[in-house]
Amino acid sequence: MSLQALKDEVARQFGTPAVVVDLDVVERNVARVQALCDAAGIANRPHIKTHKSPVIAALQREAGAQGLTCQKLGEAEIMAESGHDDLLIAYNLLGEEKLNRLGGLLSRVKVTVAADNPVVVAGLPQAAAKAGRNLDVVVECDTGRRRAGVETPAEAVALAQEIASRPGLSFAGFMLYPPENAVAETQAFLDAATAGVRELGLEPRIVSSGGTPNLVHLGKIKDVTEHRAGTSVFNDRMMLAAGVAGLEDCALTVYATVVSRAGPERGILDSGSKTLTYDTGGLDGHGLILEHPQARIARFAEEHGFLDLSACNDRPSVGDVVRIVPNHVCVVVNMVDRMVAVRGDTIVGELPVAARGRLT
Amino acid sequence: MSLQALKDEVARQFGTPAVVVDLDVVERNVARVQALCDAAGIANRPHIKTHKSPVIAALQREAGAQGLTCQKLGEAEIMAESGHDDLLIAYNLLGEEKLNRLGGLLSRVKVTVAADNPVVVAGLPQAAAKAGRNLDVVVECDTGRRRAGVETPAEAVALAQEIASRPGLSFAGFMLYPPENAVAETQAFLDAATAGVRELGLEPRIVSSGGTPNLVHLGKIKDVTEHRAGTSVFNDRMMLAAGVAGLEDCALTVYATVVSRAGPERGILDSGSKTLTYDTGGLDGHGLILEHPQARIARFAEEHGFLDLSACNDRPSVGDVVRIVPNHVCVVVNMVDRMVAVRGDTIVGELPVAARGRLT
């Protein structure tokens, strides 16, 4: 089948907008990340928040991933239901509803959770008690990103001690999400925190780092034992802009139809903020149109993508189907209940986004 | 039940983040819009893209709405499955897949569609033929918003003639989505287009206008026969900022938990761009926290809301549940499969977002 025939066939079978994933590219991306981790002697624990698919998680496990990372408890439940074990939930879990569910999950599979404060640590024994099994807890450390995480090695050590003192909890190590330019700062933080917990007789068995752009830094931070990368499975316009992926590494595109030209310099796509989302990833424009790279997706209504075609010589016509590399692929996958799976120019099936919308 | 008890109970039963809708407020909002339309002698055709719920659509119909507006064909299919008839699909539909489905829908319920170009009009007879029934088509006119729509009255007249010339299609009138400050320009466009089609022996039976902020302009544009408002059913921070709703009119809030304080001037919510979305609605900050109105939701990761608490005297603690009025409610509803329904401080059930993710 030619590319044009594929586009016609996707539109005919599924309509547009459609989220289309090339499994050949996915498999190459999965193999590349595994090879990078293997070369660095670091365990691979891919983050499933990007694909939310137990099927793609299975590809990652078969390629050698040690376990999976989930951001929300609900994602971990979906992975466990599909037979995946050894799950890191990289998130502070608290409240009776979540602790009950965490206990249920822990009774079925191996789970590690992150914590960055004593309130969260105080709740976790309830989950371990419900499961009748110890819960491994890593201390989330902020080494410059200013998201969650304890802000100093001293806080990390204190929280490790707090974890170790609680019934049913085991201090398992540290979780980092270092900024790409903060290797030295991260190393200093990690060294100090490690020395501190060792003085208490505790050993960080796990030092988890993360991020697709940090794959090129694998091994630079000493003592890291495993890595969480999400976006690398599909890649997107942010990864192109960061120079860590090429167009041939972008496994996911959104097929959209030009439904109106509106004016000579303009055009309207049938994909708006309810498909491509308003997450810019810090970039100008809201996606790369492969057929018209000079077209700018300037803004959105909920179901309209506003095209600025003023820089285009070759302008699309009403009815044309185009392929868009989204700025941030993780949020786009989360908009749809299924992806269309292709290999090259051939449709091979559908992939349910099984953990879509698992916000809790 | 007190408000605090309600918050505790929502968190206990559903976990956070949770999208919570107060049906008492919804019913007041529905009644208010209907009364405005009745007073202006204009039919009410609420836009279901905001709530995506056949149950709430039924409240609107029972209050007197003549029909419903849908943005996508898939939304209309969901409404029809729930017994709703007389549907306006305010969107250019094209491509074999959509025209087949449109034909199927038209064979079951009364449907009107919009078109703004001859390519779309050329396809629509296929749907009418499949249904064995005439399809009403309104010409979408752009009177200044620069989204979809023909840009001049002459184009509108030419497209009306094109519609009338096609087998199975009836020219039904015009569809407008006027900017709030463009009453005179819109009237001039409409007058010229109406005069033009009358010269051809055509009559615009429908002149559809839209937008929640335009509810205060109802009746100012002469010859408008019906109005499409979506956001008014719930309202949001954009409507507060536009001065067309008060806090007591905001029916929907997102319940979120503070999961980390991260630093003294900071905090982290368990609601990020996969819950509240990056749609700013042109406002600073990403939502209004009712308990801490001086807190700024500064930015997002996918599952993290970054709080800037520097302007807050009373700062939230880890574990606190807060209620957030989102900037743009329509895109937030679309992130979840269900809403929690309350009346005042009492949980009364769950509302499925039946048309969530119906992008095609």
Side-chain angles (χ1 to χ4, degrees):
Chain A
M1 205 186 272
S2 70
L3 174 60
Q4 186 57 52
L6 172 67
K7 287 163 63 172
D8 292 346
E9 190 59 21
V10 167
R12 197 187 65 74
Q13 281 190 36
F14 302 97
T16 64
V19 171
V20 179
V21 170
D22 189 323
L23 293 180
D24 287 344
V25 182
V26 168
E27 286 174 357
R28 285 205 308 270
N29 292 342
V30 166
R32 183 185 311 114
V33 172
Q34 188 63 49
L36 286 169
C37 289
D38 290 348
I42 288 173
N44 181 23
R45 188 182 289 280
H47 207 314
I48 65 83
K49 56 122 185 173
T50 303
H51 55 68
K52 290 181 174 257
S53 158
V55 175
I56 294 183
L59 294 178
Q60 294 171 317
R61 297 299 284 267
E62 286 156 20
Q66 174 181 304
L68 301 174
T69 307
C70 303
Q71 204 71 342
K72 289 288 179 99
L73 178 56
E75 294 174 340
E77 289 169 331
I78 293 287
M79 293 298 139
E81 280 171 24
S82 299
H84 289 294
D85 202 339
D86 195 353
L87 308 174
L88 167 63
I89 304 174
Y91 208 81
N92 284 319
L93 296 178
L94 51 73
E96 187 185 340
E97 188 260 357
K98 292 213 171 49
L99 294 170
N100 262 326
R101 286 165 53 202
L102 176 61
L105 182 68
L106 181 62
S107 69
R108 300 193 296 278
V109 297
K110 175 171 160 49
V111 181
T112 304
V113 299
D116 81 351
N117 68 75
V119 176
V120 168
V121 170
L124 293 174
Q126 180 181 331
K130 175 165 179 178
R133 181 176 177 184
N134 254 37
L135 175 61
D136 281 341
V137 185
V138 290
V139 174
E140 181 170 7
C141 302
D142 178 2
T143 67
R145 197 174 288 267
R146 293 180 70 76
R147 196 166 78 172
V150 296
E151 294 190 300
T152 65
E155 285 177 274
V157 173
L159 200 61
Q161 188 168 26
E162 182 78 18
I163 292 163
S165 75
R166 295 277 175 173
L169 304 189
S170 301
F171 167 72
F174 300 113
M175 185 176 84
L176 318 168
Y177 182 30
E180 285 91 58
N181 56 0
V183 169
E185 296 87 333
T186 302
Q187 189 71 62
F189 190 117
L190 180 59
D191 289 349
T194 301
V197 298
R198 284 183 177 152
E199 276 179 29
L200 299 172
L202 300 173
E203 186 59 32
R205 288 178 284 115
I206 299 169
V207 178
S208 169
S209 187
T212 289
N214 276 328
L215 285 168
V216 298
H217 301 297
L218 277 186
K220 286 187 190 166
I221 300 169
K222 272 182 306 175
D223 302 326
V224 165
T225 65
E226 56 182 59
H227 192 82
R228 320 175 306 277
T231 309
S232 58
V233 71
F234 292 152
N235 292 305
D236 56 20
R237 192 162 167 246
M238 278 203 290
M239 296 305 115
L240 293 173
V244 299
L247 265 183
E248 68 283 7
D249 307 316
C250 290
L252 184 145
T253 49
V254 175
Y255 285 34
T257 300
V258 179
V259 292
S260 171
R261 276 298 304 280
E265 308 254 284
R266 299 195 290 128
I268 300 289
L269 293 176
D270 63 358
S271 300
S273 63
K274 281 179 174 168
T275 303
L276 290 165
T277 89
Y278 248 119
D279 188 341
T280 63
L283 305 177
D284 179 67
H286 294 282
L288 170 66
I289 301 180
L290 293 176
E291 292 83 355
H292 301 276
Q294 294 164 315
R296 186 166 171 272
I297 304 177
R299 62 193 176 94
F300 292 129
E302 288 158 54
E303 306 289 6
H304 297 73
F306 290 64
L307 294 178
D308 174 359
L309 302 174
S310 54
C312 286
N313 291 319
D314 173 32
R315 297 180 182 186
S317 303
V318 172
D320 283 3
V321 174
V322 298
R323 294 164 302 145
I324 303 163
V325 177
N327 282 17
H328 186 187
V329 73
C330 310
V331 291
V332 173
V333 171
N334 188 51
M335 303 308 284
V336 294
D337 292 319
R338 64 170 185 201
M339 299 178 276
V340 179
V342 304
R343 287 186 183 274
D345 294 338
T346 306
I347 298 172
V348 296
E350 291 180 64
L351 272 177
V353 186
R356 195 215 71 74
R358 292 287 168 146
L359 301 174
T360 68
Chain B
M1 205 185 271
S2 71
L3 174 59
Q4 186 57 52
L6 172 67
K7 286 163 62 172
D8 292 345
E9 190 58 23
V10 167
R12 197 187 64 75
Q13 282 190 35
F14 302 98
T16 64
V19 172
V20 179
V21 170
D22 189 324
L23 293 180
D24 286 344
V25 183
V26 167
E27 287 174 357
R28 285 206 307 270
N29 291 343
V30 166
R32 183 184 311 113
V33 172
Q34 188 63 49
L36 286 169
C37 289
D38 290 348
I42 288 172
N44 182 22
R45 187 182 288 281
H47 206 314
I48 65 84
K49 56 121 184 175
T50 304
H51 55 69
K52 289 182 174 259
S53 158
V55 175
I56 294 183
L59 294 179
Q60 294 171 317
R61 297 299 284 266
E62 287 155 19
Q66 174 181 303
L68 301 173
T69 307
C70 303
Q71 203 71 343
K72 289 289 179 97
L73 177 56
E75 294 174 339
E77 289 169 331
I78 293 286
M79 292 300 138
E81 280 171 24
S82 299
H84 289 295
D85 202 340
D86 195 354
L87 308 174
L88 167 63
I89 303 174
Y91 208 82
N92 284 318
L93 295 178
L94 50 73
E96 185 185 341
E97 187 261 356
K98 291 214 172 48
L99 294 170
N100 261 325
R101 287 165 53 203
L102 177 60
L105 182 68
L106 180 63
S107 70
R108 300 192 296 279
V109 296
K110 174 170 161 51
V111 182
T112 304
V113 299
D116 80 351
N117 68 75
V119 176
V120 168
V121 170
L124 293 175
Q126 181 182 329
K130 176 167 177 177
R133 181 177 176 183
N134 254 38
L135 175 61
D136 281 341
V137 185
V138 289
V139 173
E140 181 171 7
C141 302
D142 178 1
T143 66
R145 197 174 288 266
R146 293 181 68 77
R147 196 167 79 172
V150 297
E151 294 189 300
T152 64
E155 285 177 274
V157 173
L159 200 61
Q161 187 168 28
E162 182 78 18
I163 292 163
S165 75
R166 296 276 174 174
L169 305 189
S170 300
F171 167 72
F174 300 111
M175 185 176 83
L176 318 168
Y177 183 29
E180 285 91 59
N181 56 0
V183 169
E185 296 87 332
T186 302
Q187 188 72 61
F189 190 118
L190 180 58
D191 289 349
T194 301
V197 297
R198 283 183 176 152
E199 276 180 29
L200 299 171
L202 300 173
E203 186 61 31
R205 287 178 284 115
I206 299 169
V207 178
S208 169
S209 187
T212 289
N214 277 328
L215 285 169
V216 299
H217 301 299
L218 277 185
K220 286 189 190 165
I221 300 169
K222 273 181 305 175
D223 302 327
V224 166
T225 65
E226 56 182 60
H227 193 81
R228 320 176 306 276
T231 309
S232 57
V233 70
F234 292 151
N235 292 305
D236 56 21
R237 193 162 167 245
M238 278 204 290
M239 296 305 114
L240 293 174
V244 300
L247 265 183
E248 69 283 7
D249 307 317
C250 291
L252 185 146
T253 50
V254 175
Y255 284 34
T257 300
V258 178
V259 292
S260 171
R261 276 298 303 279
E265 308 254 284
R266 299 195 290 128
I268 300 290
L269 293 176
D270 63 358
S271 300
S273 64
K274 282 179 173 167
T275 302
L276 290 165
T277 90
Y278 249 120
D279 187 340
T280 63
L283 304 178
D284 179 66
H286 293 283
L288 170 65
I289 301 180
L290 293 177
E291 291 83 354
H292 303 277
Q294 293 164 317
R296 185 166 171 273
I297 304 177
R299 60 194 177 93
F300 292 129
E302 288 157 53
E303 306 288 6
H304 297 72
F306 291 64
L307 294 179
D308 174 359
L309 302 174
S310 54
C312 286
N313 291 318
D314 173 32
R315 296 178 183 186
S317 303
V318 172
D320 284 3
V321 174
V322 298
R323 294 164 301 145
I324 304 163
V325 177
N327 282 17
H328 186 185
V329 74
C330 310
V331 291
V332 173
V333 171
N334 188 51
M335 303 308 284
V336 295
D337 293 319
R338 65 169 185 201
M339 299 178 276
V340 179
V342 303
R343 287 187 183 273
D345 293 338
T346 306
I347 298 172
V348 296
E350 291 180 62
L351 272 177
V353 186
R356 195 215 70 73
R358 291 288 168 144
L359 301 175
T360 67

